[in-house]
Every structure is written in C-alpha cells, then in structure tokens.
Amino acid sequence: MSLQRRVVIVGGGVTGLVAAYEVQRLIKTHGQHVRIDLFEGAPRLGGKLFTERVGPFVVEAGPDTFLKSKPAAVTLCNELGLDDQLVPTRPETRQSFILRDGVLTALPEGMSGLVPRRVRDLLGSPLLSRRGSMRACLERFVRRRANGRDESIFEFAARRYGREMAERIVEPLLSGIYAGDGRKLSAAAAIPQLYEMEKKFGSVSRGVRARSNGLSAKTAASPFVSLAAGMGSLIERLESRLHIVNVHRSTPVQAVYKRGTQFQIDVGSDSVLADAVVLATPSYYSAEMLRSWRPALSDELNAIRFVSSVIVSIGYTPTPATAPRHGYGYIVPRGAGTEVTACTWTTLKLPNRSADGSLLVSMARDEIKRTLGIDEAPAMVRVSRHARAMPQYAMGHLDRLARIDKMLSSEPGLFVAGCSYRGVGIPDCVVSGRDAGVQVVQSLELTGPR
C-alpha cells in the first residue's frame, strides 16, 4: 500500500480555493488518495471577495465584476453550477466618465479596457483636442516597436496613440484598474494583451477590432459580468465543493522549510509535513514564510510593490434628486487633488443591487457632494480597507518573474500563485490557481487512471 501524500495550500482567497479545488478534481481522476490542507490566517475565506447584504443593498467589499473575455472565471462558474447566476452589466445605462476640472466628461463609446474599440470614436471627444484626437486616430499607421526594451504603460500609449491620449484617457483609466502610476508600470507585464496585439497585428486598433468581430460600440455585448447574489457567492460555492479538503481558518502559517524530501510548514506552535506546497498569498507574505530558508527568493518576492485601497460604500433611500440616472461611474485622474480614484454607481451598473428607489455609490460623502451635489444623510455606510492589496507590476517585473521561476525550479513541489505575478483580475487568479493545482499533481507523480 502506498503512503498517503499530503498537499498544503496557504491562503484562502480565490486563488487558493481554486488551487485546492483543482487538486481535488485531478486526484479523483487519478484514483489515489491525497490529503489536502488549506490554511487561511483570517476567520473567513475569500480575501477581497466578500458580499454583504445590508437592508435593501448588496455591498461588495472588493471587485463587483470580472471580464468575460478572459474565460477562466466564467468557465469556473459553469462548473460550479453558477451559470444561471451570471449577470451582465446593464446595457441601457452603459457609459463611463472621467472627472476633468471638476466636471464629469463622458469617455468615448466602446472603450475596450484602456483603448477605444474604434479610434474614430475619439473624434469630437471633449477629452482630447482636435490635434490629439487626430494623432490617436493615426495609431494603425505607427510602426511596431523595433527593440525589446521594457517600456512603461505611459510610454506604450504615447507611442501608439500620442501623448495627449496617454495623459488624458489612458492614465486615468489605469489608476482605476491598478491604482498605480502608468509611468512606472511595465506594459508587457500589466497590459500583455495590448502588447501582443501590436506584435500580432502591427496595430492595437486592428487587434481590438479583430477581437470584437467588427461589432460596433452600441451592439457589442458588455465585457463585464457579475453574480446575481454578489461576488461572495463564488467563494461560498467553491468552499461547498471542497469535499475532501481540510480547511483551517484563523490559522496563519509562520514559515516554510525543506525537511529531507518534504516541506515543513510551521503553523502556530505546531508543524506539518507536505509533499507539495502552494503559497497562494500576496508575495510579501510568501516572502516572510520563506525568509529563513530561501532568503534570495524571499528578497525577489518582497521586491514586488503593493498599494493599499479603501472602498467606501454609501447607500441612499430614496434616490436623491441630484443622483445620476445614466452611466456606471467615473474615474479620477492622478493629481486631481483628491484621494478618490474611482466612483461606481452600482445600482445603475448592475441589477438587483438595491431596492427600487435607492442608489448605491462607492465614494466618500464629500466627493458625492462636490461632484453630484448630494448632501442627504445616507441610509447605509460600509468601509472596506485593503492594506497592500494591489500589486504594482513595475518596470522589469517579467525579468523578476523569470528569476523567481528559476529559483522555484530548484525546489520541486513548491509553487507560488495569485495576483502578485501575472494578472490582478479574478479570471487571472482563477488561471493562477488552476495552474498551481495542475503543477502540484504533476509533482506528486501519481499513477493510475487518467
């Protein structure tokens, strides 16, 4: 009889849960018994994904949607039986804004991430001068970059679309996605899909057009979806499907070492041995766990910088007279004199987020009063603080990942996963968790039916 193998997953956010789910799925296929333990330091699972119902309001502590063009999250929802819960953003209120000089100015229709689906939609936009919009429309005539030097997102956007569009449209949108500085973030690491479009099509505009299959901004389906009961339902369903996983909440891991051919995981005053370990925690947590054993790897992990964020959810009932009636919200450019980076009008963005006659917004009350003229007392307020939550893929990030991968290759059975590395969105985390699960099972060298 073969000895029982053991897998330890550290981190109970979406990446760690998906990794556990994938290992469970694959070992069932192999027909062999493996013990799976998942350790989470917090009292609940899900990390930033948490949904709370407060009276008539559905309040998200973190992301409220995910991209369906990256299919991993949609595929996972289908596997988990959540396919009938997937809801698109409201098409009838589709519009986003940038706060410019204190005025909400509409973004061109059909924005696809940081760039427009059709560059001619930039013509006449009040966000750009005539000269700036004409320069942006010449993007398809700009040659591919000749050298392979890493460039920032700002450099990439300015080279392809002109400096004015980079400053007035790309930079503000970027702050809403990464909460970062586009002059410091690596284009190849942070926006690889646009980077690859230039290589494949010779033009980002042609690549976006090909991906949209020629659909106009008005007829194209929304690229974002959510779950009817909130994003927390994904965590709840994942947890319910972990039938053979031993989940340990409020159980932080202090350190990971090598002990013979296995790994020793120090948990409080106790320790466990495992044949494979997935560190599905932010890279700085993983760095601390590895510091005593692998200091060079720890230094590389710790060098990935993070920024913190706070989500202030405010609900009104009934709807204030000056509340917006159209649009999803707005982005605030860097240097606008406020700590607010974005505001989402959740009730207008997604269905079933508040009772009829109510409005849910995510911003501080002074921002609401200054921008929308709303001074009424809110019916609901929730504050979600996320310390060191958003990784910043700085220049040289891909080179750092190559060094991390090389160091990990010398320790078979040890894996890192999560938003710290190759994508910050929910679909990226799902992919990272799946990949880690596959690598774990491969490292165990299980035999039996496949």
Side-chain angles (χ1 to χ4, degrees):
M1 179 181 294
S2 61
L3 294 176
Q4 183 186 61
R5 315 299 294 277
R6 189 171 193 174
V7 174
V8 165
I9 296 166
V10 185
V14 65
T15 303
L17 291 172
V18 170
Y21 171 80
E22 188 70 3
V23 173
Q24 173 185 267
R25 186 181 71 85
L26 291 174
I27 63 173
K28 285 183 177 179
T29 303
H30 284 79
Q32 289 189 258
H33 182 59
V34 176
R35 178 184 171 103
I36 309 168
D37 288 278
L38 185 148
F39 294 98
E40 166 56 45
R44 66 168 182 84
L45 302 177
K48 293 186 288 294
L49 285 189
F50 175 65
T51 305
E52 184 180 8
R53 182 168 287 279
V54 185
F57 303 104
V58 176
V59 183
E60 299 285 11
D64 60 4
T65 58
F66 55 87
L67 272 171
K68 67 179 182 182
S69 59
K70 293 182 175 182
V74 172
T75 300
L76 177 63
C77 287
N78 291 340
E79 286 183 25
L80 296 173
L82 291 170
D83 46 309
D84 61 344
Q85 297 296 304
L86 291 169
V87 292
T89 52
R90 292 181 182 271
E92 68 274 15
T93 58
R94 186 190 306 179
Q95 180 67 72
S96 296
F97 302 86
I98 288 178
L99 184 65
R100 184 182 178 198
D101 300 326
V103 178
L104 295 183
T105 305
L107 279 164
E109 287 189 345
M111 292 296 294
S112 179
L114 299 176
V115 299
R117 184 174 287 107
R118 302 182 307 179
V119 288
R120 66 174 178 266
D121 289 333
L122 295 170
L123 295 173
S125 170
L127 291 169
L128 300 175
S129 67
R130 179 176 176 82
R131 181 184 181 89
S133 61
M134 291 297 293
R135 167 62 182 86
C137 287
L138 296 175
E139 189 276 335
R140 62 195 181 98
F141 299 108
V142 176
R143 291 183 178 181
R144 294 181 179 92
R145 193 175 60 137
N147 62 61
R149 179 186 65 85
D150 196 5
E151 65 180 334
S152 70
I153 296 177
F154 184 87
E155 289 175 317
F156 176 82
R159 178 171 59 81
R160 298 299 318 175
Y161 290 93
R163 188 178 185 86
E164 190 172 302
M165 179 170 162
E167 289 178 341
R168 298 186 183 183
I169 295 181
V170 174
E171 268 275 75
L173 288 173
L174 185 71
S175 69
I177 298 172
Y178 276 93
D181 186 346
R183 289 174 171 81
K184 297 179 180 179
L185 299 184
S186 165
I191 52 169
Q193 67 280 7
L194 299 184
Y195 214 64
E196 291 303 315
M197 284 179 185
E198 180 185 30
K199 292 181 181 180
K200 181 177 180 180
F201 297 96
S203 161
V204 176
S205 302
R206 282 196 287 267
V208 171
R209 188 71 173 165
R211 191 177 65 180
S212 64
N213 296 318
L215 293 175
S216 69
K218 292 183 178 180
T219 58
S222 169
F224 294 98
V225 292
S226 186
L227 290 164
M231 297 302 300
S233 57
L234 174 60
I235 301 302
E236 293 167 3
R237 187 61 60 88
L238 268 171
E239 183 182 4
S240 72
R241 295 297 178 90
L242 299 182
H243 304 302
I244 62 172
V245 178
N246 303 289
V247 177
H248 311 270
R249 297 176 180 78
S250 301
T251 312
V253 170
Q254 280 79 42
V256 175
Y257 304 89
K258 197 67 175 290
R259 183 174 172 182
T261 60
Q262 292 183 299
F263 299 95
Q264 176 179 315
I265 299 94
D266 289 347
V267 186
S269 59
D270 198 4
S271 64
V272 299
L273 293 178
D275 300 283
V277 179
V278 177
L279 302 182
T281 49
S283 56
Y284 52 86
Y285 278 137
S286 300
E288 287 305 309
M289 286 183 269
L290 297 172
R291 182 161 301 283
S292 297
W293 170 44
R294 294 297 304 265
L297 175 57
S298 174
D299 288 344
E300 290 287 4
L301 293 171
N302 204 41
I304 300 173
R305 192 172 67 86
F306 282 69
V307 295
S308 301
S309 65
V310 178
I311 297 177
V312 182
S313 298
I314 301 178
Y316 294 93
T317 179
T319 301
T322 57
R325 296 296 190 270
H326 183 76
Y328 293 166
Y330 63 87
I331 301 294
V332 182
R334 293 173 63 85
T338 175
E339 293 299 315
V340 174
T341 59
C343 164
T344 299
W345 305 325
T346 310
T347 299
L348 299 180
K349 182 180 180 181
L350 290 163
N352 305 317
R353 285 308 190 261
S354 65
D356 292 341
S358 299
L359 171 71
L360 179 63
V361 294
S362 301
M363 55 182 155
R365 285 193 66 190
D366 59 345
E367 178 73 14
I368 298 171
K369 182 178 179 179
R370 180 172 57 250
T371 308
L372 303 177
I374 298 174
D375 198 22
E376 288 91 335
M380 179 278 299
V381 176
R382 286 293 186 275
V383 178
S384 301
R385 295 178 175 85
H386 302 292
R388 299 178 73 184
M390 184 64 71
Q392 303 292 287
Y393 296 167
M395 302 286 285
H397 182 74
L398 295 183
D399 291 335
R400 172 163 288 111
L401 294 186
R403 294 193 296 271
I404 290 172
D405 289 343
K406 184 176 181 180
M407 293 180 188
L408 287 171
S409 68
S410 66
E411 298 295 345
L414 176 65
F415 309 97
V416 297
C419 69
S420 302
Y421 309 105
R422 292 179 170 86
V424 300
I426 293 173
D428 302 307
C429 292
V430 172
V431 169
S432 184
R434 292 260 206 202
D435 288 347
V438 170
Q439 291 171 332
V440 162
V441 174
Q442 290 174 343
S443 75
L444 296 177
E445 297 181 341
L446 300 178
T447 60
R450 293 178 182 268

